[in-house]
Amino acid sequence: MIAAAGDALWKNGAVCGKKFTVKCTGPRNGVRHPCTGKSVTVKVVDQCPGCPSTMDLSREAFEIIAKPVAGIINMDYKK
């Protein structure tokens, strides 16, 4: 399970290779109840320049924590 870090989290590559546990906390674009209630551990492998979010998850990781139709969600993360 992998992710790309947005500019605010990337910090010149300081988080590259680091693992984070992420969990969906709610909708961000009008899709009601997008969260599955599960969490997933992802490894940051790239930067996502200009991403409006903290992380861009791989499809496989996203589908564990949220309904794919949601597209964008609010989430919490911790190392």
Side-chain angles (χ1 to χ4, degrees), residues 16-39:
C16 191
K18 305 285 186 202
K19 292 185 179 182
F20 292 86
T21 300
V22 295
K23 183 173 183 171
C24 174
T25 59
R28 192 155 158 196
N29 64 356
V31 174
R32 295 175 50 114
H33 311 293
C35 303
T36 64
K38 298 178 183 178
S39 63

Side-chain angles (χ1 to χ4, degrees), residues 43-54:
K43 182 178 183 178
V44 174
V45 297
D46 201 359
Q47 180 181 16
C48 184
C51 280
S53 300
T54 310

Side-chain angles (χ1 to χ4, degrees), residues 39-78:
S39 63
V40 65
T41 300
V42 296
K43 182 178 183 178
V44 174
V45 297
D46 201 359
Q47 180 181 16
C48 184
C51 280
S53 300
T54 310
M55 283 188 219
D56 186 16
L57 304 179
S58 64
R59 181 181 310 236
E60 295 82 8
F62 189 88
E63 289 177 353
I64 290 173
I65 66 169
K67 296 175 188 172
V69 69
I72 299 173
I73 55 168
N74 289 319
M75 67 176 150
D76 280 338
Y77 63 92
K78 62 182 177 182

